[in-house]
Amino acid sequence: MNPLSQQLNETIRQDNPNIYAMLSRLAQQIYFPKEGILSQSAEAASKAKAFNATIGIATEGGTPMHLRVIQDSLSAYNPKDIYPYAPPAGKPELRKLWREKMLKENPSLEGKQISNPIVTNALTHGLSIVADLFADEGDVVIMPDKNWENYELTFGIRRGAEMVYYPLYNEEWKFNSEGLRDALLANRDKGKAIVLLNFPNNPTGYTPGREEGQAIVAAIQEAAEAGMRLVVVTDDAYFGLFFEDSMHESLFGNLASLHPNVLPVKVDGATKEEYVWGFRVGFITYAAESEALLSALEQKTLGIIRATISSGPHPSQTFVLHALQSPDFDAQKQEKFNIMKSRANKVKSLLDSGKYGDVWSYYPFNSGYFMCLKLNTVQAETLRTHLLNQYGVGTIALGETDLRIAFSCIEEEHLEQLFDTIYRGVIDLTQ
Ligand SMILES: Cc1ncc(COP(=O)(O)O)c(C=O)c1O
């Protein structure tokens, strides 16, 4: 094994042997090279005053070489903030500002030890780093039955982990923390599990209330006390879009410092929060008790980044940084929040109006981009294709009964027509 990975492993083992035991075989092997091209270039950047002939970019007139056809459309930005490689961990100013934003929006993080967020190629990449570092063949990944389908590819297909599902809602239509607890304890013999928490939830648009959040944390604590080692991932893709009286913070804050057997990992990013889906800017952040341990986890993460994408896109990091620095950022974000909230409220008032009878019910929702209908009289896939072919209306069928509606992309004044059309589709199929 490479001495650098050995050293990182030793630090992790010394500071928390439970976290060491959570590492995949790949995570044990991986390291971020200290003496390779990147570090020699970094050294040259500060010392090579005559000529810096280190890294594989091209320069001209003291700036990164570039084509006018590209720069003309990006003229608001300095070439140095667009063309060179971003550091593998991301632009330092962006990481700093994202951390500050996270602390401001999650007061429960106060006094907790967390790493600096590391920039990822958006959330999917953050999740795949978690999978690389902590999932081996046969490890269990525990999540609600209503979840983002890509988890299956990231953890199941790509890393060979076993997906374990529990019903998202309990009989009172609240978050089923009892189900989470049972799923955890049913896998106690495995000694280890990855827990995926995603609020606001895709596809239902549900975020638990504060008490439900405490019950989730208590379930995790109970499993940790029973000896399970748990990597608990908060996928905060839709963070901030909380329209009602649910939790308004990530559970990452409550999970930090919970138990030595729990490693909280926050996966978040600008994608959905800042409405920049194609930018591919996300972050991965760890909570652990020691700086040395956090730094070792960061090095392992950088090893994966270096081995896969080498570094994330520089222009989009610059764009997001620029937005975060702007005095108009908060006001503009609030404006968009209000639009999304208005749409969610409109959907709820339509569904509660009684005009659609009992052809469907809907899963409780209070946040995010989506809501899900539970169809009572027709198959979801049959309705989906009928709506598409007959009315040109696109929805997502999930399982036998569920139809996901992204109200995020329907203007408020069109929502009534949308739901009326879906209703008409149901009636067509049942007459
Ligand atoms: C719950 C959830 N997590 C992660 C992602 C992926 O986000 P990104 O586009 O930043 O990779 C999505 C995208 O749909 C999502 O719904």
Side-chain angles (χ1 to χ4, degrees), residues 208-322:
R210 286 170 189 81
E211 277 178 21
E212 296 162 84
Q214 283 164 8
I216 293 170
V217 174
I220 288 164
Q221 183 163 8
E222 187 181 337
E225 280 167 1
M228 289 188 82
R229 296 177 175 120
L230 303 173
V231 179
V232 186
V233 184
T234 58
D235 173 344
D236 296 333
Y238 302 88
F239 185 81
L241 292 163
F242 304 115
F243 309 132
E244 297 183 19
D245 191 25
S246 63
M247 292 189 290
H248 285 195
E249 285 190 49
S250 168
L251 277 177
F252 182 67
N254 293 102
L255 292 164
S257 310
L258 181 69
H259 192 281
N261 270 354
V262 175
L263 173 65
V265 187
K266 188 177 194 325
V267 172
D268 59 11
T271 307
K272 317 272 182 177
E273 280 189 48
E274 266 61 271
Y275 312 104
V276 290
W277 310 275
F279 279 21
R280 316 310 296 150
V281 176
F283 301 86
I284 184 167
T285 310
Y286 300 97
E289 292 303 302
S290 97
E291 281 295 343
L293 175 53
L294 287 172
S295 157
L297 290 172
E298 185 169 332
Q299 291 298 306
K300 295 280 184 189
T301 303
L302 291 185
I304 299 286
I305 290 176
R306 181 67 172 151
T308 49
I309 63 165
S310 193
S311 63
H314 196 162
S316 38
Q317 290 184 44
T318 293
F319 302 156
V320 173
L321 173 62
H322 175 75

Side-chain angles (χ1 to χ4, degrees), residues 7-23:
Q7 207 178 4
L8 294 173
N9 294 347
E10 205 36 55
T11 303
I12 297 172
R13 193 170 14 218
Q14 245 174 34
D15 283 22
N16 187 335
N18 302 305
I19 293 180
Y20 179 73
M22 294 174 198
L23 297 180

Side-chain angles (χ1 to χ4, degrees), residues 16 30 33 45-46 167 178 192 240 249 254 318 342 347 357 372 397 412 423 431:
N16 187 335
I30 201 84
S46 58
E178 195 67 24
K192 166 187 170 185
E249 285 190 49
N254 293 102
T318 293
S342 251
V347 171
C372 262
E412 189 178 336
Y423 177 69
Q431 266 170 356

Side-chain angles (χ1 to χ4, degrees), residues 122-124 127 148 151 198 202 235 237-238 271-272 280:
L123 283 92
T124 309
L127 292 164
W148 186 41
Y151 295 148
N198 164 229
N202 178 0
D235 173 344
Y238 302 88
T271 307
K272 317 272 182 177
R280 316 310 296 150

Side-chain angles (χ1 to χ4, degrees), residues 28-88:
Q28 287 172 15
Q29 299 281 341
I30 201 84
Y31 61 95
F32 185 69
K34 275 219 169 83
E35 287 163 2
I37 294 168
L38 293 182
S39 65
Q40 292 179 34
S41 297
E43 202 182 345
S46 58
K47 293 193 199 150
K49 301 296 176 206
F51 300 107
N52 183 359
T54 56
I55 202 154
I57 73 162
T59 58
E60 195 178 22
T63 60
M65 189 177 282
H66 54 270
L67 305 185
R68 206 149 33 78
V69 282
I70 297 176
Q71 184 59 22
D72 279 354
S73 57
L74 293 168
S75 55
Y77 294 99
N78 188 322
K80 78 171 175 37
D81 293 321
I82 296 285
Y83 300 109
Y85 292 117

